[in-house]
Amino acid sequence: MRVLEAGAPATGGDLTLRSVTAMLLLAVIWGLSIPATKLGLVTMPPLTLTALRFLVAAPLLMIVAFDRLRVPRRALPRIAALGVLGISLGQAMQAFGVEGTSASAGTIISATIPVFVVVFAALRLKQPVSVLQGLGLLAAFAGIALVALENSGDATGSRTTLAGVVLMLLSALAIAFYYVWSVQLTEEFGTRAVAAWSTLLGFLALLPFAVWEIARTPFQITAQAMWVAVYLGAAVTVAGLLLWLYLLRKVPARVAASVQYLQPVFGIAASAALFGDKLGLLFGAGVVLILAGLALAVANRPAPKEAVPHE
């Protein structure tokens, strides 16, 4: 995806050591998102962990965007709707999906978000889908089927279930919808303002459900879970956004977008190291198909001018 701050140039300069380092750091930060979520879910239920993540992220984003927070009241219902979709629903379903999949399967399924962006961009922004992009979509869905069929467990006994795969796909759909439908708002009010307000309002909408879960579900507040919440909120959501915007000022958008090919690599490697995920032939074939489908789906595609990244 292409994410531009209002007034930022669409292209950047040559690659430098600093920009390459930033790209690798962003790939690592976003790639570790699903394995980190899996760690947090060991002792904490999904809604509670998601709420804690955005309890960290929302104030930080408000600080980051403090000089750009003014938006007309008429825009707040639309921004709130995006927040409910991308934060309350998208991220909560992702947490439930991670609970029902191995960390490796969750990581590679979440990598399909840009593929769904192509579909929604065609519907919302009237961007045509070429034959190659259509083949990419089919390849990605075939890869998801293979990953689901693998059903491999990790050393902790977590297995990939059909319900987990469906929830991960629904999460990817919700987040992709959020990306594409945020384009008009970010063009009008800027990426940081939309990110800050949608995150805050989405968090507030999620909060009652998290409180309900806390009242009904026994869990442990551990240092590991708290560090995961801080990592997801401060690093994945806030630092990820700032790194992304930095890259788009320094390198061409198509170069910055190559980060999405590296994320699953780091995520799957971390899953194997942390959880002992056993990656069989079906899983490997699924990964190849999904990454190939991603490459075809986003190749030579005119991207939305702005979107708000929430990994």
Side-chain angles (χ1 to χ4, degrees), residues 8 219 241 281:
F219 64 93
L241 172 65
L281 290 176

Side-chain angles (χ1 to χ4, degrees), residues 102 105 128 174 178 238 250 254 300:
S102 69
Y178 172 88
V238 180
K250 300 297 181 181
R254 68 181 184 279
N300 298 318

Side-chain angles (χ1 to χ4, degrees), residues 25-37 53-54 56-57 60-61 91 94 110 113 175 179 199 227-244 263 308-311:
L25 180 59
L26 183 58
V28 171
I29 289 174
W30 281 351
L32 295 182
S33 173
I34 299 299
T37 301
R53 168 185 181 171
F54 291 104
V56 173
L60 291 177
L61 283 173
Q91 299 295 341
Q94 185 180 91
S110 71
I113 291 172
I175 294 171
Y179 286 156
T199 298
W227 276 113
V228 166
V230 170
Y231 175 78
L232 292 174
V236 174
T237 302
V238 180
L241 172 65
L242 295 178
L243 274 172
W244 183 248
Q263 284 174 233
V308 182
H310 276 298
E311 285 297 314

Side-chain angles (χ1 to χ4, degrees), residues 2-5 7-15 245-256 305:
R2 185 181 181 192
V3 185
L4 297 179
E5 182 68 19
T11 59
D14 296 330
L15 282 174
L245 294 175
Y246 167 80
L247 283 170
L248 287 167
R249 291 193 299 271
K250 300 297 181 181
V251 301
R254 68 181 184 279
V255 176
K305 290 184 179 179

Side-chain angles (χ1 to χ4, degrees), residues 155-277:
T156 64
S158 174
R159 295 182 65 81
T160 298
T161 64
L162 178 60
V165 171
V166 169
L167 284 168
M168 289 300 297
L169 284 174
L170 289 175
S171 169
L173 280 167
I175 294 171
F177 189 99
Y178 172 88
Y179 286 156
V180 174
W181 262 256
S182 70
V183 169
Q184 184 180 357
L185 288 169
T186 53
E187 286 180 338
E188 292 183 47
F189 310 116
T191 302
R192 295 185 190 186
V194 173
W197 282 114
S198 63
T199 298
L200 176 63
L201 296 172
F203 163 68
L204 293 176
L206 175 66
L207 196 55
F209 299 97
V211 170
W212 175 84
E213 182 183 68
I214 290 169
R216 296 175 59 90
T217 308
F219 64 93
Q220 290 181 305
I221 299 177
T222 63
Q224 175 176 291
M226 296 306 295
W227 276 113
V228 166
V230 170
Y231 175 78
L232 292 174
V236 174
T237 302
V238 180
L241 172 65
L242 295 178
L243 274 172
W244 183 248
L245 294 175
Y246 167 80
L247 283 170
L248 287 167
R249 291 193 299 271
K250 300 297 181 181
V251 301
R254 68 181 184 279
V255 176
S258 63
V259 165
Q260 59 200 352
Y261 300 102
L262 292 175
Q263 284 174 233
V265 176
F266 289 113
I268 292 171
S271 300
L274 290 171
F275 305 105
D277 284 10

